[in-house]
Amino acid sequence: MSSLEQDRGQTLEQTPARPRRRLLLLGSTGQLGWELQRTLAPSGQVVALDYPEIDFTHPNSLTAVVEKLQPDVILNAVAYTQVDQAEKDPDAARAVNGLAPGILAQAARKAQAVLIHYSTDYVFDGAKGLPYRETDPTNPLGVYAKTKLEGEQAVQQADGAWIILRTSWLYSLRRDDFVLKVLKWSRTQRTLKVAEDQVGSPTWGRMLAEVTAQMLPRASSDLFEWGLEHKGIYHLGGAGCASRFELAEAVLRLDPHPEEQVVREILPARMADFPALAPRPLNTALDCREFFNTFGVQLPEWREALRLALQVG
Ligand SMILES: NC(=O)c1ccc[n+]([C@@H]2O[C@H](COP(=O)([O-])OP(=O)(O)OC[C@H]3O[C@@H](n4cnc5c(N)ncnc54)[C@H](OP(=O)(O)O)[C@@H]3O)[C@@H](O)[C@H]2O)c1
């Protein structure tokens, strides 16, 4: 055996076996959950579950799952996200968004697991006129928004090691998100009308998932202690803000297949031109400096993330 091989053998023998972290991901087929399943893989052993294996309308089953798996970290990407449908079915929205997160948070505390729970910019009424900070008062307008705020409150009441990440205008190019809709409309409509009075922080789901993975500490120290130290609500959306109109314009400009577009003009409209069942806040751009100050990572500027999301090949 050469000295190099001996060295290698010794190094391998001397390397202590490090236990892999156990990460429980709930909502693995959703926009965000899909990306989290991939970006979290290097961080530990990911157990990814979705409906019907877990059903947030029967949240007691969540307690059993957490007790059985004894995870170090739980990531909750489950939500009832159909904003208009929630107006017709508030009980279902409340069960999934408002009640289940509290039960999950209690189970997380008992298992000494860090809970990372996602929430929404819609907890605000959009009237501030400036990007929202975590300390700004909430005032949700519709059922989806109200139940998401109830979920935040239930998580906080469980008093474990919880971290709530409020995000905004999520797109993934996998589900029926706004970016994908604009691309589809551009292939079938010559004129697009898009609201210029609704403003938010467009967020690419993959970047949100990557930043989530990066915020977890590298060292396998006591994660629960780390969670207790960092407990809080943080805003985490794409940096900067855009109106729906600006976002749609950027999508058309960055479209990797502009030759497929039939659209000839894009006209500014008002949100009121598109009546919907649920009221939507006008300006919910998020100020994300607290997250950066605490964890040292941030989402890139929304245009840059969109460029990367739409890049092919
Ligand atoms: N989308 C946005 O623009 C946006 C904006 C701000 C904040 N957020 C927040 O970001 C987080 C992720 O949102 P997203 O856009 O990734 O959501 P999404 O694509 O709608 O995914 C939601 C996930 O929840 C699952 N789910 C729904 N009802 C369930 C139930 N009763 N039991 C178990 N699983 C259930 C869905 O499963 P199925 O696929 O099987 O239905 C899906 O996997 C949520 O907290 C959301 O409130 C989203």
Side-chain angles (χ1 to χ4, degrees):
M1 191 187 285
S2 73
S3 60
L4 183 64
E5 282 168 328
Q6 273 175 349
D7 285 352
R8 274 195 191 136
Q10 274 178 0
T11 313
L12 282 177
E13 276 164 24
Q14 285 163 7
T15 305
R18 237 191 288 150
R20 296 190 76 204
R21 279 177 190 168
R22 230 195 282 245
L23 304 147
L24 172 60
L25 168 63
L26 304 171
S28 55
T29 62
Q31 296 198 84
L32 175 61
W34 176 268
E35 299 292 356
L36 278 171
Q37 193 171 356
R38 280 141 191 83
T39 55
L40 289 171
S43 306
Q45 180 196 352
V46 181
V47 178
L49 301 176
D50 205 291
Y51 184 85
E53 293 159 302
I54 41 140
D55 183 354
F56 271 44
T57 58
H58 295 97
N60 288 334
S61 62
L62 298 173
T63 311
V65 169
V66 173
E67 269 173 16
K68 185 168 166 222
L69 291 172
Q70 290 293 308
D72 301 298
V73 183
I74 302 171
L75 299 106
N76 179 25
V78 167
Y80 187 110
T81 53
Q82 296 153 279
V83 176
D84 290 319
Q85 184 62 27
E87 299 293 318
K88 292 193 215 158
D89 197 357
D91 291 346
R94 178 152 292 113
V96 176
N97 294 341
L99 299 174
I103 291 171
L104 186 62
Q106 287 167 24
R109 180 173 46 77
K110 279 193 197 129
Q112 302 247 299
V114 177
L115 173 65
I116 299 181
H117 174 76
Y118 294 90
S119 190
T120 173
D121 54 333
Y122 275 27
V123 295
F124 299 113
D125 61 17
K128 182 182 174 189
L130 282 172
Y132 279 96
R133 301 211 58 180
E134 291 82 353
T135 45
D136 284 322
T138 52
N139 184 25
L141 299 181
V143 169
Y144 163 77
K146 284 184 181 134
T147 58
K148 287 296 292 184
L149 181 61
E150 287 164 14
E152 285 189 3
Q153 291 161 345
V155 166
Q156 292 170 63
Q157 275 159 19
D159 199 29
W162 52 266
I163 292 175
I164 294 173
L165 301 177
R166 284 189 189 139
T167 192
S168 153
W169 289 24
L170 205 60
Y171 65 90
S172 62
L173 305 176
R174 288 196 63 250
R175 287 204 164 183
D176 206 16
D177 58 72
F178 183 73
V179 172
L180 209 53
K181 276 184 190 160
V182 171
L183 287 173
K184 282 184 188 158
W185 294 334
S186 76
R187 272 113 179 106
T188 55
Q189 298 177 28
R190 293 182 73 82
T191 300
L192 297 188
K193 287 187 185 157
V194 185
E196 63 171 355
D197 56 346
Q198 193 188 15
V199 174
S201 300
T203 305
W204 183 21
R206 181 175 305 172
M207 288 280 170
L208 177 60
E210 280 177 6
V211 168
T212 303
Q214 286 182 25
M215 74 184 267
L216 295 173
R218 296 281 160 277
S220 50
S221 54
D222 190 337
L223 264 175
F224 192 67
E225 273 304 313
W226 173 87
L228 289 173
E229 277 163 27
H230 293 83
K231 163 157 128 168
I233 296 179
Y234 300 91
H235 287 177
L236 186 56
C241 59
S243 67
R244 289 270 175 210
F245 182 80
E246 287 169 321
L247 176 57
E249 269 190 330
V251 172
L252 296 184
R253 203 172 47 251
L254 296 166
D255 182 351
H257 294 292
E259 72 284 358
E260 293 176 9
Q261 292 182 9
V262 300
V263 65
R264 291 291 164 261
E265 59 178 354
I266 171 165
L267 301 175
R270 315 292 293 169
M271 258 225 299
D273 298 333
F274 310 99
L277 220 48
R280 282 155 170 84
L282 271 184
N283 184 343
T284 53
L286 297 176
D287 180 329
C288 304
R289 81 184 86 161
E290 188 62 29
F291 184 89
F292 178 68
N293 290 341
T294 308
F295 299 104
V297 276
Q298 62 189 326
L299 289 168
E301 204 260 339
W302 70 267
R303 271 190 208 83
E304 175 58 8
L306 182 67
R307 187 182 69 76
L308 294 170
L310 290 173
Q311 218 169 40
V312 286

